[in-house]
């Protein structure tokens, strides 16, 4: 067995100080940890494993049939005490044999349960490149090119999505790349909170009220609690099927007026473009008009559907509404091939973010020359540590830049359009079978449907059973459900990079067959 790895430094057992100079320190091992030749050898193993994984994706059931604790029983309880011989190759074999069979395969062409976590060659390799370079761009000086590439690429993407210029650096706003929508909402909410409290007094934090619909992602109410908003001051306004489950401007206006009359302070509205359950689209422009008299911040959560704005024919979902918003976020890792994680947020007034999230302490990597140049009228220095929650940041801009470079805006449009087209085809199949109904209008690449039942009291249970049987099929597909307005429905979200038309047709065939079987058992003839 190989000897135990040496540590790169020694400490004095008495006080933790660095050992005396005559204490031997084995630096040769430290150098091997980033040995170029070893990196090439092991890197090929990783690339081969990933390539084989995608090539053989059809062999895996989309969702594994495992029980909690299954993996702990197959792996040792203790970590290795010594370096194994050819440990990396052995670990890669464990990935193949032990880990992959226990995953839900989000890249499977038969995964229709969730909005996509899209992958691409450029996105995956960009992620690997960022990990290998491994810089920490928390300030401009800490890595100037990383900071400035992020500024360039968020403007590139904003232009591709046709966002208002006032949200871009080019128009006085600006953007940043965060990990998730949860971070984006929290950052925007904290900026709005501090801006409002600066005007009315910090002691009134208990009077602040935030607004969303009952279809808004739960991340919003969670962010509100983290930001210090009282639980009872998070207003979830009911929606209805007649309005396609969109947030009603009239209902928002009434709620805000009622709170203001009661001495409370309307603070923040979270509008959604493409809700999680049904892809409902809130009327952004009208919501901005309702919020304006109260000076409330309006944020647009377009985590999933924001990607669709690359297609001119899909921009009508938010046409004329985004110009007045204070912030806008979308996940490029959901549908724009950027791989997890890559949430982009734009703000109209970056100074509000910096005022709330900035730090005043001097850092050793502050660049005095750059600060002086900016003060003298040169390019502004952006320290992204002041735009988000974390100080340590990953070089996410690199993979997004690679995706845009390698595929171009037209390539991204083709990608989105292909999924929208397949979803439209699935919707047509559902409508062609009189046993089924499409519950909500399809806007993007999600189809919400259900099996009709002559007994409305048992309709939800019938569809729960249908979903269970569809997902139990060994060949897939894997779908999910929503329960909106008391109506239980199945969700078919087309979005995997590997999905083709045949996978959609096969998925529908499974749904039809399982429905036929269930109805036969119930002695229902339709």
């Amino acid at each position: 067995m190989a000897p135990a790895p040496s540590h790169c430094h020694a400490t004095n057992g008495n006080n933790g100080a660095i050992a005396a100079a005559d204490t031997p320190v084995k630096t040769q091992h430290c150098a091997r940890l980033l040995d170029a030749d070893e990196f090439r050898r092991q890197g090929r193993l990783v690339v081969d494993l990933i390539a084989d994984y995608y090539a053989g994706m059809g062999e895996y059931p989309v969702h594994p049939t495992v029980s909690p604790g299954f993996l702990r029983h197959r792996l040792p309880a203790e970590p290795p005490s010594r370096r194994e011989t050819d440990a990396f190759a052995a670990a890669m074999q464990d990935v193949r044999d032990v880990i992959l069979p226990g995953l839900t395969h989000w890249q499977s062409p038969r995964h229709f349960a969730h909005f996509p976590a899209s992958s691409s060659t450029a996105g995956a390799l960009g992620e690997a490149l960022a990990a290998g370079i491994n810089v920490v761009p928390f300030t401009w000086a800490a890595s100037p090119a990383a900071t400035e590439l992020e500024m360039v690429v968020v403007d590139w993407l904003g232009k591709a999505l046709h966002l208002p210029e006032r949200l871009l650096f080019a128009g006085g706003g600006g953007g940043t790349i965060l990990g998730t929508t949860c971070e984006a909402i929290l950052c925007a909410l904290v900026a709005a909170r501090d801006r409002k409290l600066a005007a009315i007094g910090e002691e009134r934090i208990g009077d602040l009220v935030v607004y969303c619909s009952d279809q808004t992602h739960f991340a919003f109410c969670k962010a509100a609690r983290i930001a210090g908003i009282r639980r009872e001051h998070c207003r979830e306004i009911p929606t209805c099927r007649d309005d396609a489950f969109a947030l009603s401007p009239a209902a928002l206006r009434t709620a805000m007026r009622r709170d203001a009359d009661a001495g409370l302070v309307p603070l923040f509205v979270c509008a959604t473009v493409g809700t999680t359950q049904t892809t409902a689209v809130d009327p952004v422009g009208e919501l901005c008009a309702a919020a304006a008299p109260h000076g409330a911040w309006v944020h647009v959560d377009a985590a999933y559907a924001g990607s669709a704005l690359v297609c001119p024919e899909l921009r009508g979902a938010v046409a004329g509404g985004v110009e007045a918003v204070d912030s806008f976020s979308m996940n490029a890792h959901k549908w724009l091939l950027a791989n997890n994680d890559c949430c982009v947020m734009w703000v109209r007034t970056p100074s509000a973010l910096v005022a709330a999230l900035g730090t005043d302490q001097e850092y050793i990597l502050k660049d005095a020359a750059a600060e002086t140049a900016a003060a003298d009228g040169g390019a502004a220095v952006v320290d992204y540590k002041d735009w988000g929650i974390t100080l340590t940041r990953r070089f996410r801009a690199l993979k997004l830049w690679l995706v845009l470079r390698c595929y171009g805006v037209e390539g991204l449009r083709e990608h989105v359009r292909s999924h929208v087209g397949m979803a439209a085809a699935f919707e047509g199949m559902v409508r062609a079978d009189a046993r089924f109904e499409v519950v909500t209008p399809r806007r993007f690449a999600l189809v919400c449907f259900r099996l009709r039942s002559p007994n409305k009291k048992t309709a939800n249970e019938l569809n729960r059973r249908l979903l269970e049987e569809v997902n139990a099929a060994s060949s897939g597909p894997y779908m999910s459900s929503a329960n909106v307005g008391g109506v239980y429905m199945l969700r078919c979200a087309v979005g995997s990079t590997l999905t083709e038309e045949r996978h959609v047709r096969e998925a529908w065939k499974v749904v039809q067959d399982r429905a036929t079987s269930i109805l036969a058992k119930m002695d229902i003839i339709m």
Side-chain angles (χ1 to χ4, degrees):
M1 184 174 291
S6 303
H7 293 291
C8 299
H9 57 269
T11 57
N12 185 305
N14 295 325
N15 57 17
I18 299 297
D22 59 353
T23 301
V25 179
K26 297 182 178 179
T27 59
Q28 185 178 0
H29 167 71
C30 301
R32 289 204 307 272
L33 298 179
L34 277 179
D35 179 76
D37 291 335
E38 190 72 353
F39 187 87
R40 288 188 181 94
R41 186 182 72 82
Q42 295 179 351
R44 291 187 185 102
L45 295 178
V46 173
V47 170
D48 285 346
L49 187 151
I50 296 172
D52 291 345
Y53 174 63
Y54 283 122
M57 185 70 73
E59 300 174 9
Y60 294 98
V62 187
H63 190 64
T65 54
V66 295
S67 300
F70 80 98
L71 189 60
R72 293 198 302 273
H73 296 150
R74 297 197 62 182
L75 296 177
E78 302 294 333
S81 60
R82 296 176 179 271
R83 182 179 180 179
E84 304 172 42
T85 301
D86 209 5
F88 196 86
M92 290 302 97
Q93 193 60 50
D94 281 350
V95 171
R96 292 178 187 270
D97 298 341
V98 180
I99 296 175
L100 289 182
L103 294 178
T104 296
H105 299 283
W106 281 67
Q107 306 312 315
S108 170
R110 294 175 281 121
H111 187 140
F112 302 105
H114 305 101
F115 290 144
S118 62
S119 290
S120 66
T121 301
L125 294 179
E127 183 74 17
L129 186 60
I133 295 173
N134 203 30
V135 297
V136 187
F138 62 93
T139 63
W140 179 89
S143 197
T147 295
E148 298 199 10
L149 184 63
E150 187 164 341
M151 297 172 69
V152 168
V153 82
V154 296
D155 267 16
W156 276 12
L157 183 58
K159 291 174 181 177
L161 300 179
H162 281 250
L163 295 182
E165 188 172 351
R166 67 194 305 180
L167 288 176
L168 311 182
F169 281 109
T176 182
I177 306 177
L178 305 170
T180 67
T181 294
C182 301
E183 291 179 61
I185 293 174
L186 179 57
C187 290
L189 186 52
V190 168
R193 179 200 67 190
D194 282 14
R195 186 175 71 175
K196 182 66 75 174
L197 292 179
I200 66 174
E202 293 188 1
E203 69 280 359
R204 296 198 63 190
I205 187 172
D207 294 333
L208 300 180
V209 186
V210 299
Y211 306 84
C212 63
S213 85
D214 59 4
Q215 300 304 302
T216 302
H217 196 279
F218 63 79
F220 175 62
C221 287
K222 180 177 181 178
R225 293 199 300 271
I226 295 172
I229 307 301
R230 296 169 65 175
R231 288 176 183 263
E232 63 269 25
H233 286 178
C234 186
R235 306 279 188 253
E236 296 185 39
I237 298 173
T239 59
C240 64
R241 187 172 180 179
D242 289 344
D243 292 332
F245 302 109
L247 175 56
S248 163
L252 174 65
R253 191 176 294 108
T254 298
M256 299 181 88
R257 186 184 302 118
R258 183 186 302 117
D259 285 331
D261 290 345
L264 300 177
V265 181
L267 171 69
F268 193 99
V269 177
C270 186
T272 307
V273 174
T275 58
T276 300
Q277 296 206 86
T278 65
T279 63
V281 175
D282 293 336
V284 176
E286 296 175 64
L287 297 178
C288 288
H294 303 278
W297 184 296
V298 179
H299 175 79
V300 173
D301 170 13
Y304 161 66
S307 299
L309 300 182
V310 298
C311 300
E313 68 274 17
L314 298 176
R315 290 180 198 139
V318 290
V322 182
E323 290 77 7
V325 305
D326 294 279
S327 52
F328 183 102
S329 64
M330 56 81 64
N331 289 346
H333 62 248
K334 271 192 166 60
W335 209 1
L336 285 190
L337 301 172
N339 286 53
N340 276 320
D341 49 15
C342 189
C343 173
V344 187
M345 178 176 70
W346 295 265
V347 291
R348 187 169 63 179
T349 53
S351 59
L353 272 184
V354 175
L357 300 169
T359 54
D360 297 327
Q361 293 89 343
E362 288 299 318
Y363 279 82
I364 59 173
L365 289 180
K366 280 280 189 180
D367 191 297
E371 300 285 345
T372 301
D376 292 340
V381 173
V382 171
D383 289 337
Y384 273 124
K385 70 177 178 63
D386 298 333
W387 289 54
I389 300 167
T390 64
L391 297 182
T392 300
R393 310 177 73 248
R394 297 196 299 116
F395 191 5
R396 296 184 181 95
L398 192 57
K399 66 180 171 186
L400 184 54
W401 176 74
L402 270 179
V403 166
L404 289 167
R405 282 283 303 272
C406 292
Y407 306 127
V409 176
E410 282 299 328
L412 298 180
R413 286 174 181 158
E414 291 174 7
H415 176 69
V416 170
R417 283 169 176 158
S418 69
H419 290 141
V420 171
M422 285 185 273
F426 186 89
E427 180 187 34
M429 297 174 201
V430 175
R431 293 189 184 279
D433 189 329
R435 301 176 300 172
F436 291 85
E437 66 172 323
V438 175
V439 182
T440 61
R442 180 198 55 78
R443 288 186 180 84
F444 306 107
L446 172 71
V447 180
C448 294
F449 67 102
R450 66 192 251 123
L451 185 60
R452 300 180 192 271
S453 172
N455 186 341
K456 292 185 178 181
K457 292 183 179 180
T458 61
N460 286 352
E461 186 56 39
L462 175 66
N463 281 280
R464 284 192 185 92
R465 183 175 172 187
L466 174 61
L467 179 64
E468 289 175 1
E469 296 210 10
V470 167
N471 286 344
S474 59
S475 60
Y478 181 44
M479 295 185 182
S480 61
S481 65
N483 194 328
V484 184
V487 177
Y488 185 96
M489 63 195 83
L490 281 70
R491 298 170 73 258
C492 177
V494 181
S496 169
T497 308
L498 297 173
T499 299
E500 301 173 3
E501 290 184 17
R502 62 185 178 91
H503 299 113
V504 174
R505 291 193 299 270
E506 290 166 2
W508 175 239
K509 182 65 165 54
V510 171
V511 172
Q512 284 186 305
D513 289 349
R514 293 300 185 270
T516 298
S517 174
I518 291 172
L519 293 175
K521 291 175 183 177
M522 297 174 63
D523 292 324
I524 297 176
I525 300 175
M526 301 184 71

